[in-house]
Amino acid sequence: MTPEEVVREVLDRIHASDPSVRDLYAEDAVRYGQDGRVMHGRAAIGEFYESLFPSRTPHPVLETCLLHPPFVAALIRLPGDADPPVRYIDLFEVEDGLVQSVRVLMPPELFGPRS
């Protein structure tokens, strides 16, 4: 799979509440959350996603992917009636068909001040 296909598959599996989303991450992958929390390893990232399951609709919508290999920036729109719509970026690093890292980049007003 191309890096973009890997990212799209990650999001599809999250939306489907599919625990195999973990298989798209490298064993030593890192997830950097918008709240400053860092998760190390496929198992921890998989447990995080599983804590979100079963997912509820409506799901965040992937608007587009921006490519600068090995990075893929997924521009995501949150569901709702906000005008303008609320958007954020998941910045994936994909190498050898696996996610090496992901950074969740949200506007500060979505998660409040960091302590």
Side-chain angles (χ1 to χ4, degrees):
M1 280 193 281
T2 68
E4 181 178 359
E5 290 169 334
V6 170
V7 168
R8 288 180 182 277
E9 186 64 22
V10 165
L11 298 171
D12 287 346
R13 291 185 191 187
I14 292 169
H15 286 184
S17 296
D18 183 347
S20 72
V21 66
R22 74 176 59 221
D23 299 335
L24 298 171
Y25 283 80
E27 198 62 48
D28 60 348
V30 181
R31 181 185 184 277
Y32 301 90
Q34 77 280 2
D35 57 1
R37 198 166 74 166
V38 180
M39 293 170 211
H40 296 275
R42 175 187 290 162
I45 294 167
E47 288 172 15
F48 166 75
Y49 286 131
E50 287 182 38
S51 76
L52 303 176
F53 301 159
S55 57
R56 297 186 190 113
T57 56
H59 297 290
V61 175
L62 175 64
E63 290 196 337
T64 193
C65 287
L66 306 170
L67 307 173
H68 187 78
F71 298 100
V72 178
L75 178 61
I76 299 172
R77 180 177 36 85
L78 293 178
D81 297 328
D83 187 24
V86 177
R87 293 180 173 90
Y88 67 95
I89 294 174
D90 281 350
L91 180 61
F92 291 85
E93 180 182 11
V94 181
E95 292 183 4
D96 300 323
L98 295 172
V99 176
Q100 302 296 320
S101 69
V102 62
R103 288 169 169 77
V104 181
L105 307 170
M106 290 186 159
E109 62 270 15
L110 291 183
F111 59 89
R114 286 174 49 181
S115 48

